[in-house]
CSV table of all heavy atoms in Angstrom, one decimal:
chain,number,residue,atom,x,y,z
A,239,LEU,N,0.8,-1.2,0.0
A,239,LEU,CA,0.0,0.0,-0.1
A,239,LEU,C,0.8,1.3,0.0
A,239,LEU,O,0.6,2.2,-0.7
A,239,LEU,CB,-1.0,0.0,1.2
A,239,LEU,CG,-2.1,-0.9,1.2
A,239,LEU,CD1,-2.8,-1.0,2.5
A,239,LEU,CD2,-3.0,-0.6,-0.1
A,240,VAL,N,2.0,1.2,0.8
A,240,VAL,CA,2.8,2.4,0.8
A,240,VAL,C,3.5,2.7,-0.7
A,240,VAL,O,3.6,3.7,-1.1
A,240,VAL,CB,4.0,2.2,1.8
A,240,VAL,CG1,5.1,3.2,1.6
A,240,VAL,CG2,3.4,2.3,3.2
A,241,ALA,N,3.9,1.5,-1.3
A,241,ALA,CA,4.4,1.6,-2.6
A,241,ALA,C,3.4,2.1,-3.6
A,241,ALA,O,3.7,2.8,-4.6
A,241,ALA,CB,5.0,0.2,-3.0
A,242,ALA,N,2.1,1.6,-3.4
A,242,ALA,CA,1.0,2.0,-4.3
A,242,ALA,C,0.8,3.5,-4.1
A,242,ALA,O,0.5,4.2,-5.2
A,242,ALA,CB,-0.2,1.3,-4.0
A,243,ALA,N,0.9,4.1,-2.9
A,243,ALA,CA,0.9,5.5,-2.7
A,243,ALA,C,1.9,6.2,-3.4
A,243,ALA,O,1.7,7.3,-4.0
A,243,ALA,CB,0.8,5.7,-1.2
A,244,GLY,N,3.1,5.7,-3.5
A,244,GLY,CA,4.3,6.2,-4.2
A,244,GLY,C,3.9,6.1,-5.7
A,244,GLY,O,4.4,7.1,-6.4
A,245,VAL,N,3.3,5.2,-6.2
A,245,VAL,CA,2.9,5.1,-7.6
A,245,VAL,C,1.9,6.2,-7.9
A,245,VAL,O,2.0,7.0,-9.0
A,245,VAL,CB,2.5,3.8,-8.0
A,245,VAL,CG1,1.8,3.7,-9.3
A,245,VAL,CG2,3.5,2.7,-7.9
A,246,VAL,N,0.9,6.4,-7.1
A,246,VAL,CA,-0.1,7.4,-7.3
A,246,VAL,C,0.4,8.8,-7.2
A,246,VAL,O,0.1,9.7,-7.9
A,246,VAL,CB,-1.3,7.2,-6.3
A,246,VAL,CG1,-2.3,8.3,-6.3
A,246,VAL,CG2,-2.0,5.9,-6.6
A,247,ALA,N,1.5,8.9,-6.2
A,247,ALA,CA,2.1,10.3,-6.1
A,247,ALA,C,2.8,10.8,-7.4
A,247,ALA,O,2.9,12.0,-7.6
A,247,ALA,CB,3.0,10.2,-5.0
A,248,MET,N,3.1,9.9,-8.3
A,248,MET,CA,3.8,10.2,-9.5
A,248,MET,C,2.8,10.9,-10.5
A,248,MET,O,3.2,11.6,-11.5
A,248,MET,CB,4.4,9.0,-10.2
A,248,MET,CG,5.5,8.4,-9.5
A,248,MET,SD,6.9,9.5,-9.2
A,248,MET,CE,7.6,9.6,-10.8
A,249,ALA,N,1.5,10.8,-10.2
A,249,ALA,CA,0.6,11.5,-11.1
A,249,ALA,C,0.4,13.0,-10.8
A,249,ALA,O,-0.2,13.7,-11.6
A,249,ALA,CB,-0.8,10.8,-10.9
A,250,PHE,N,0.9,13.5,-9.6
A,250,PHE,CA,0.6,14.8,-9.2
A,250,PHE,C,1.8,15.7,-9.8
A,250,PHE,O,2.9,15.2,-10.0
A,250,PHE,CB,0.6,14.9,-7.6
A,250,PHE,CG,-0.6,14.2,-7.0
A,250,PHE,CD1,-0.4,13.1,-6.2
A,250,PHE,CD2,-1.8,14.6,-7.4
A,250,PHE,CE1,-1.5,12.4,-5.8
A,250,PHE,CE2,-2.9,13.9,-6.8
A,250,PHE,CZ,-2.8,12.9,-6.1
A,251,PRO,N,1.5,16.9,-9.8
A,251,PRO,CA,2.5,17.9,-10.3
A,251,PRO,C,3.8,17.9,-9.3
A,251,PRO,O,3.5,17.7,-8.2
A,251,PRO,CB,1.9,19.4,-10.3
A,251,PRO,CG,0.4,19.0,-10.3
A,251,PRO,CD,0.2,17.6,-9.7
A,252,GLY,N,5.0,18.2,-9.8
A,252,GLY,CA,6.1,18.3,-9.0
A,252,GLY,C,6.8,17.0,-8.8
A,252,GLY,O,7.6,16.8,-7.9
A,253,ARG,N,6.5,16.1,-9.6
A,253,ARG,CA,7.1,14.8,-9.6
A,253,ARG,C,8.6,14.8,-9.9
A,253,ARG,O,9.0,15.7,-10.8
A,253,ARG,CB,6.4,13.8,-10.4
A,253,ARG,CG,6.4,14.1,-11.8
A,253,ARG,CD,5.7,12.9,-12.6
A,253,ARG,NE,5.6,13.4,-14.0
A,253,ARG,CZ,4.4,13.6,-14.6
A,253,ARG,NH1,3.4,13.5,-13.9
A,253,ARG,NH2,4.4,14.0,-15.9
A,254,PRO,N,9.4,14.0,-9.4
A,254,PRO,CA,10.8,14.1,-9.7
A,254,PRO,C,11.1,13.7,-11.1
A,254,PRO,O,10.5,12.9,-11.7
A,254,PRO,CB,11.4,13.2,-8.6
A,254,PRO,CG,10.4,12.3,-8.2
A,254,PRO,CD,9.1,13.0,-8.3
A,255,GLU,N,12.1,14.2,-11.7
A,255,GLU,CA,12.6,13.8,-13.0
A,255,GLU,C,13.9,13.0,-12.9
A,255,GLU,O,14.8,13.3,-12.0
A,255,GLU,CB,13.0,15.1,-13.8
A,255,GLU,CG,11.7,15.9,-14.2
A,255,GLU,CD,10.8,15.2,-15.1
A,255,GLU,OE1,11.1,14.3,-15.9
A,255,GLU,OE2,9.5,15.4,-15.1
A,256,PRO,N,14.1,12.0,-13.7
A,256,PRO,CA,13.3,11.4,-14.7
A,256,PRO,C,12.2,10.6,-14.1
A,256,PRO,O,12.5,9.7,-13.2
A,256,PRO,CB,14.2,10.6,-15.6
A,256,PRO,CG,15.3,10.2,-14.7
A,256,PRO,CD,15.4,11.4,-13.7
A,257,TRP,N,11.0,10.9,-14.4
A,257,TRP,CA,9.8,10.2,-13.7
A,257,TRP,C,9.6,8.8,-14.2
A,257,TRP,O,9.1,8.0,-13.3
A,257,TRP,CB,8.6,11.1,-13.9
A,257,TRP,CG,8.1,11.2,-15.3
A,257,TRP,CD1,8.5,12.1,-16.2
A,257,TRP,CD2,7.1,10.3,-15.8
A,257,TRP,NE1,7.8,11.9,-17.4
A,257,TRP,CE2,6.9,10.8,-17.2
A,257,TRP,CE3,6.4,9.2,-15.5
A,257,TRP,CZ2,6.2,10.1,-18.0
A,257,TRP,CZ3,5.6,8.5,-16.4
A,257,TRP,CH2,5.4,9.0,-17.7
A,258,LEU,N,9.9,8.4,-15.3
A,258,LEU,CA,9.4,7.1,-15.8
A,258,LEU,C,10.2,6.0,-15.1
A,258,LEU,O,9.5,5.0,-14.6
A,258,LEU,CB,9.6,6.9,-17.4
A,258,LEU,CG,9.2,5.6,-17.9
A,258,LEU,CD1,7.8,5.3,-17.6
A,258,LEU,CD2,9.4,5.5,-19.4
A,259,PRO,N,11.6,5.9,-14.9
A,259,PRO,CA,12.2,5.0,-14.2
A,259,PRO,C,11.8,4.9,-12.8
A,259,PRO,O,11.7,3.8,-12.3
A,259,PRO,CB,13.6,5.3,-14.4
A,259,PRO,CG,13.8,6.2,-15.5
A,259,PRO,CD,12.5,6.8,-15.6
A,260,LEU,N,11.6,6.0,-12.2
A,260,LEU,CA,11.1,6.1,-10.8
A,260,LEU,C,9.7,5.4,-10.7
A,260,LEU,O,9.5,4.7,-9.7
A,260,LEU,CB,11.1,7.5,-10.3
A,260,LEU,CG,10.8,7.7,-8.8
A,260,LEU,CD1,11.8,6.9,-7.9
A,260,LEU,CD2,10.8,9.1,-8.4
A,261,LEU,N,8.9,5.8,-11.6
A,261,LEU,CA,7.5,5.2,-11.6
A,261,LEU,C,7.6,3.7,-11.7
A,261,LEU,O,6.9,3.0,-11.0
A,261,LEU,CB,6.6,5.8,-12.7
A,261,LEU,CG,5.3,5.2,-12.9
A,261,LEU,CD1,4.4,5.4,-11.7
A,261,LEU,CD2,4.7,5.6,-14.1
A,262,LEU,N,8.4,3.2,-12.6
A,262,LEU,CA,8.5,1.8,-12.9
A,262,LEU,C,9.1,1.0,-11.7
A,262,LEU,O,8.7,0.0,-11.2
A,262,LEU,CB,9.4,1.4,-14.1
A,262,LEU,CG,8.8,1.9,-15.5
A,262,LEU,CD1,9.8,1.8,-16.5
A,262,LEU,CD2,7.4,1.0,-15.7
A,263,ARG,N,10.1,1.7,-10.9
A,263,ARG,CA,10.7,1.1,-9.8
A,263,ARG,C,9.6,1.0,-8.7
A,263,ARG,O,9.6,0.0,-7.9
A,263,ARG,CB,12.0,1.9,-9.3
A,263,ARG,CG,13.1,1.5,-10.1
A,263,ARG,CD,14.5,2.0,-9.5
A,263,ARG,NE,14.5,3.4,-9.5
A,263,ARG,CZ,15.1,4.1,-10.5
A,263,ARG,NH1,15.4,3.6,-11.5
A,263,ARG,NH2,15.1,5.5,-10.3
A,264,ARG,N,8.9,2.1,-8.4
A,264,ARG,CA,7.8,2.1,-7.4
A,264,ARG,C,6.8,1.0,-7.7
A,264,ARG,O,6.3,0.4,-6.8
A,264,ARG,CB,7.2,3.4,-7.3
A,264,ARG,CG,8.1,4.4,-6.7
A,264,ARG,CD,7.5,5.9,-6.6
A,264,ARG,NE,8.4,6.8,-5.9
A,264,ARG,CZ,8.0,8.0,-5.7
A,264,ARG,NH1,6.8,8.5,-5.9
A,264,ARG,NH2,8.9,8.8,-5.1
A,265,ALA,N,6.4,1.0,-8.9
A,265,ALA,CA,5.4,-0.2,-9.2
A,265,ALA,C,6.0,-1.5,-9.1
A,265,ALA,O,5.3,-2.4,-8.6
A,265,ALA,CB,5.0,0.0,-10.7
A,266,ALA,N,7.2,-1.7,-9.4
A,266,ALA,CA,7.8,-3.0,-9.1
A,266,ALA,C,8.0,-3.3,-7.7
A,266,ALA,O,7.7,-4.4,-7.3
A,266,ALA,CB,9.3,-2.9,-9.7
A,267,ALA,N,8.2,-2.4,-6.8
A,267,ALA,CA,8.2,-2.6,-5.4
A,267,ALA,C,6.8,-2.9,-4.9
A,267,ALA,O,6.6,-3.8,-4.0
A,267,ALA,CB,8.8,-1.3,-4.7
A,268,MET,N,5.8,-2.3,-5.4
A,268,MET,CA,4.4,-2.5,-5.0
A,268,MET,C,4.1,-4.0,-5.4
A,268,MET,O,3.5,-4.8,-4.5
A,268,MET,CB,3.5,-1.6,-5.7
A,268,MET,CG,2.0,-1.9,-5.4
A,268,MET,SD,0.9,-0.9,-6.4
A,268,MET,CE,1.2,-1.5,-8.1
A,269,PHE,N,4.4,-4.4,-6.6
A,269,PHE,CA,4.0,-5.7,-7.0
A,269,PHE,C,4.9,-6.8,-6.2
A,269,PHE,O,4.4,-7.9,-5.8
A,269,PHE,CB,4.2,-6.0,-8.5
A,269,PHE,CG,3.1,-5.5,-9.2
A,269,PHE,CD1,3.1,-4.4,-10.0
A,269,PHE,CD2,1.8,-6.2,-9.2
A,269,PHE,CE1,2.0,-3.9,-10.7
A,269,PHE,CE2,0.7,-5.8,-9.9
A,269,PHE,CZ,0.8,-4.6,-10.6
A,270,ALA,N,6.1,-6.5,-5.9
A,270,ALA,CA,7.0,-7.4,-5.1
A,270,ALA,C,6.4,-7.6,-3.7
A,270,ALA,O,6.3,-8.7,-3.2
A,270,ALA,CB,8.5,-6.8,-5.0
A,271,TRP,N,6.1,-6.4,-3.0
A,271,TRP,CA,5.4,-6.6,-1.7
A,271,TRP,C,4.1,-7.3,-1.8
A,271,TRP,O,3.8,-8.2,-0.9
A,271,TRP,CB,5.2,-5.1,-1.1
A,271,TRP,CG,6.4,-4.6,-0.5
A,271,TRP,CD1,7.0,-3.5,-1.0
A,271,TRP,CD2,7.1,-4.8,0.7
A,271,TRP,NE1,8.1,-3.1,-0.2
A,271,TRP,CE2,8.1,-4.0,0.8
A,271,TRP,CE3,6.9,-5.9,1.5
A,271,TRP,CZ2,8.9,-4.0,1.9
A,271,TRP,CZ3,7.8,-5.9,2.6
A,271,TRP,CH2,8.8,-5.0,2.7
A,272,ALA,N,3.3,-7.2,-2.8
A,272,ALA,CA,2.1,-7.9,-2.9
A,272,ALA,C,2.3,-9.3,-3.1
A,272,ALA,O,1.6,-10.2,-2.6
A,272,ALA,CB,1.2,-7.3,-4.1
A,273,ALA,N,3.3,-9.8,-3.9
A,273,ALA,CA,3.7,-11.1,-4.1
A,273,ALA,C,4.1,-11.8,-2.8
A,273,ALA,O,3.7,-12.9,-2.5
A,273,ALA,CB,4.7,-11.3,-5.1
A,274,VAL,N,5.0,-11.1,-2.0
A,274,VAL,CA,5.4,-11.7,-0.7
A,274,VAL,C,4.2,-11.8,0.2
A,274,VAL,O,4.1,-12.8,1.0
A,274,VAL,CB,6.6,-10.9,-0.2
A,274,VAL,CG1,6.8,-11.2,1.1
A,274,VAL,CG2,7.7,-10.9,-1.0
A,275,SER,N,3.3,-10.8,0.2
A,275,SER,CA,2.2,-10.9,1.1
A,275,SER,C,1.3,-12.0,0.9
A,275,SER,O,0.9,-12.9,1.8
A,275,SER,CB,1.4,-9.5,1.0
A,275,SER,OG,0.2,-9.6,1.8
A,276,VAL,N,0.9,-12.3,-0.4
A,276,VAL,CA,0.1,-13.4,-0.8
A,276,VAL,C,0.8,-14.7,-0.6
A,276,VAL,O,0.2,-15.7,0.0
A,276,VAL,CB,-0.4,-13.2,-2.2
A,276,VAL,CG1,-1.2,-14.5,-2.7
A,276,VAL,CG2,-1.3,-12.1,-2.4
A,277,TYR,N,2.1,-14.8,-1.0
A,277,TYR,CA,2.8,-16.1,-0.8
A,277,TYR,C,3.0,-16.4,0.7
A,277,TYR,O,2.7,-17.6,1.1
A,277,TYR,CB,4.2,-16.0,-1.5
A,277,TYR,CG,4.8,-17.3,-1.3
A,277,TYR,CD1,4.5,-18.4,-2.2
A,277,TYR,CD2,5.8,-17.5,-0.4
A,277,TYR,CE1,5.2,-19.6,-2.1
A,277,TYR,CE2,6.5,-18.8,-0.2
A,277,TYR,CZ,6.1,-19.8,-1.1
A,277,TYR,OH,6.7,-21.0,-1.0
A,278,SER,N,3.3,-15.5,1.5
A,278,SER,CA,3.4,-15.7,3.0
A,278,SER,C,2.1,-16.2,3.5
A,278,SER,O,2.1,-17.0,4.5
A,278,SER,CB,4.1,-14.5,3.7
A,278,SER,OG,3.1,-13.5,3.7
A,279,LEU,N,1.0,-15.7,3.1
A,279,LEU,CA,-0.3,-16.1,3.6
A,279,LEU,C,-0.5,-17.6,3.4
A,279,LEU,O,-0.9,-18.4,4.2
A,279,LEU,CB,-1.3,-15.3,3.0
A,279,LEU,CG,-2.8,-15.3,3.6
A,279,LEU,CD1,-2.9,-14.9,5.0
A,279,LEU,CD2,-3.7,-14.7,2.8
A,280,GLY,N,-0.2,-18.0,2.1
A,280,GLY,CA,-0.3,-19.4,1.7
A,280,GLY,C,0.7,-20.3,2.4
A,280,GLY,O,0.4,-21.4,2.8
A,281,LEU,N,1.9,-19.8,2.5
A,281,LEU,CA,3.0,-20.6,3.1
A,281,LEU,C,2.7,-21.0,4.5
A,281,LEU,O,2.8,-22.1,4.9
A,281,LEU,CB,4.3,-19.7,3.0
A,281,LEU,CG,5.5,-20.4,3.7
A,281,LEU,CD1,6.0,-21.7,3.1
A,281,LEU,CD2,6.7,-19.4,3.9
A,282,PHE,N,2.2,-19.9,5.3
A,282,PHE,CA,1.8,-20.3,6.7
A,282,PHE,C,0.6,-21.0,6.8
A,282,PHE,O,0.5,-21.8,7.8
A,282,PHE,CB,1.7,-18.9,7.5
A,282,PHE,CG,3.2,-18.4,7.9
A,282,PHE,CD1,3.8,-17.5,7.1
A,282,PHE,CD2,3.8,-19.0,9.0
A,282,PHE,CE1,5.1,-17.1,7.4
A,282,PHE,CE2,5.2,-18.5,9.3
A,282,PHE,CZ,5.8,-17.6,8.6
A,283,ALA,N,-0.3,-21.0,5.8
A,283,ALA,CA,-1.4,-21.9,5.9
A,283,ALA,C,-1.0,-23.4,5.7
A,283,ALA,O,-1.4,-24.3,6.4
A,283,ALA,CB,-2.4,-21.6,4.8
A,284,VAL,N,0.0,-23.6,4.8
A,284,VAL,CA,0.5,-24.9,4.6
A,284,VAL,C,1.2,-25.3,5.8
A,284,VAL,O,1.1,-26.5,6.3
A,284,VAL,CB,1.4,-25.0,3.4
A,284,VAL,CG1,2.1,-26.4,3.2
A,284,VAL,CG2,0.5,-24.8,2.1
A,285,LEU,N,2.1,-24.5,6.3
A,285,LEU,CA,2.9,-24.8,7.6
A,285,LEU,C,2.0,-25.2,8.7
A,285,LEU,O,2.2,-26.1,9.5
A,285,LEU,CB,3.8,-23.7,7.9
A,285,LEU,CG,4.9,-23.5,7.1
A,285,LEU,CD1,5.8,-22.3,7.5
A,285,LEU,CD2,5.9,-24.7,7.4
A,286,ASP,N,0.8,-24.4,8.9
A,286,ASP,CA,-0.1,-24.7,10.0
A,286,ASP,C,-0.6,-26.0,9.8
A,286,ASP,O,-0.8,-26.8,10.8
A,286,ASP,CB,-1.2,-23.5,10.0
A,286,ASP,CG,-2.1,-23.8,11.1
A,286,ASP,OD1,-1.6,-23.8,12.3
A,286,ASP,OD2,-3.3,-23.8,10.9
C-alpha cells in the first residue's frame, strides 16, 4: 500500500525527473510486496 501510494504520487505535479524509471521502480516494489504478502499467507497456511 505504501508503494502504491508512491505510484499514485507520480501522477501529481512536482514529480521528480526522470519520472518514468522512478514510476517503474515504485510499481515493481508494489508488486513485489504484494507477491510476498500473498505467498506468505499461503505458506503459513500450509505450515499450519
Side-chain angles (χ1 to χ4, degrees):
L239 288 175
V240 168
V245 169
V246 170
M248 295 299 289
F250 296 117
R253 63 180 170 248
E255 291 293 331
W257 65 271
L258 182 60
L260 185 59
L261 174 67
L262 292 171
R263 279 194 294 273
R264 287 180 180 184
M268 177 187 66
F269 279 108
W271 280 111
V274 172
S275 177
V276 172
Y277 182 78
S278 67
L279 189 65
L281 175 70
F282 280 94
V284 172
L285 284 174
D286 187 49

